[in-house]
Amino acid sequence: MRIDVITIFPEYLSPLELSLIGRARREGLVDLQVHDLRSWTHDRHRTVDDTPLGGGAGMVMKPEPWAEAFAGVRAQGQESLGADVEPLIVFPNPAGSPFTQATAQEWSQCEWIIFACGRYEGIDERVYQHLADIGCEVALASLGDYVLNGGEVAVLAITEAVVRLIPGVVGNAESLVEESHSDGLLEYPLYTRPASWTDPQGILREAPPILLSGDHAKIAAWRREQSLQRTGERRPDLLE
Ligand code: SAM
């Protein structure tokens, strides 16, 4: 998969050099390029924003650098992937559709995603119209019902959720199967050794004995029951 990120804070994306995503990049499973939007400005101050038309607080990202950035990054990507390959362009946006595990599954099949990180009050609306008019597939994705300062944190989260689903990125593919949200339920509680643990207050805390029984069918049934109970308590909306 190829991923391009366009941002005014390229250094914000440096965590993507670490851990499993960093290794996936080094192993060639993901080609991830970060681009500075300001490289597509032409004035001395490298301006990417201006005051909102119609008045109001804050600043709005100008359309010209974004249109030039998309054209430049699209040309770069098509040079390596082929002229007929088109990217999915994702704008993190609190007014977008909720990004879920199902979205992550769908996007993990993409050959190419371009992320566009908004800042300030957001991006001039005509950029979305322009991209749709030239035939680009555009998605607006919200991380949740709250407002961040910029799209970079959302891109970190979305990239991690998507890239870990690409075969070979997570060592043990089975660990992806029983996770929260993979089957619509929350994951069951987890325990490791020691089975009997005395906590710092001196209280002995035992792991559920069934997990030591060696009876895989009973363990699976217990876990399923725990998943249902936990989902009902914490996220009744998922059970519906
Ligand atoms: N004025 C916008 C609004 O009210 O919908 C909020 C703009 S926010 C301060 C700046 C940028 O942060 C957005 O363009 C988007 O890229 C990103 N952002 C903020 N909250 C987000 C969220 N919940 N999910 C995804 N991206 C978000």
Side-chain angles (χ1 to χ4, degrees):
M1 175 187 281
R2 179 177 167 120
I3 296 177
D4 291 276
V5 185
I6 309 172
T7 169
I8 58 169
F9 292 119
E11 59 276 26
Y12 222 121
L13 282 303
S14 56
L16 295 175
E17 284 161 21
L18 305 174
S19 187
L20 293 181
I21 310 295
R23 197 181 67 191
R25 292 172 74 181
R26 288 189 291 280
E27 289 179 353
L29 293 169
V30 181
D31 176 10
L32 194 149
Q33 314 273 341
V34 181
H35 311 268
D36 187 347
L37 178 68
R38 293 191 198 277
S39 346
W40 286 282
T41 56
H42 304 289
D43 63 313
R44 198 159 53 90
H45 301 292
R46 309 179 82 206
T47 310
V48 293
D49 60 318
D50 206 336
T51 52
L53 290 179
M59 301 295 275
V60 176
M61 296 191 102
K62 292 164 69 61
E64 305 96 315
W66 276 113
E68 280 194 39
F70 286 122
V73 171
R74 188 163 167 249
Q76 279 177 32
Q78 287 183 335
E79 212 168 284
S80 70
L81 297 173
D84 56 333
V85 181
E86 288 293 343
L88 167 67
I89 302 181
V90 176
F91 290 89
N93 192 314
S97 308
F99 175 78
T100 65
Q101 188 67 15
T103 325
Q105 290 281 5
E106 188 188 327
W107 291 355
S108 70
Q109 316 284 321
C110 288
E111 189 169 0
W112 183 16
I113 301 178
I114 299 179
F115 288 107
C117 301
R119 279 267 153 186
Y120 314 114
E121 291 306 317
I123 300 173
D124 188 306
E125 192 68 21
R126 291 168 294 182
V127 173
Y128 309 110
Q129 296 160 354
H130 156 67
L131 292 171
D133 281 353
I134 62 169
C136 292
E137 196 187 341
V138 172
L140 271 59
S142 171
L143 217 56
D145 292 343
Y146 44 79
V147 177
L148 303 163
N149 285 335
E152 290 78 7
V153 166
V155 169
L156 289 173
I158 293 172
T159 300
E160 185 154 312
V162 168
V163 170
R164 69 194 294 276
L165 298 177
I166 295 173
V169 172
V170 170
N172 182 356
E174 266 184 38
S175 64
L176 301 176
V177 176
E178 287 195 350
E179 288 181 316
S180 295
H181 305 294
S182 59
D183 63 354
L185 296 177
L186 303 184
E187 193 180 53
Y188 47 79
L190 300 168
Y191 298 86
T192 185
R193 278 178 284 274
S196 300
W197 171 56
T198 304
D199 78 7
Q201 291 169 292
I203 300 171
L204 179 64
R205 299 187 183 275
E206 306 272 12
I210 191 156
L211 298 178
L212 308 172
S213 68
D215 185 331
H216 297 299
K218 276 196 179 148
I219 292 173
W222 179 84
R223 284 177 167 166
R224 171 90 188 156
E225 175 59 37
Q226 292 288 315
S227 273
L228 283 164
Q229 188 183 322
R230 175 167 279 190
T231 308
E233 284 163 10
R234 297 183 186 175
R235 292 290 304 277
D237 57 308
L238 295 180
L239 281 188
E240 281 160 28

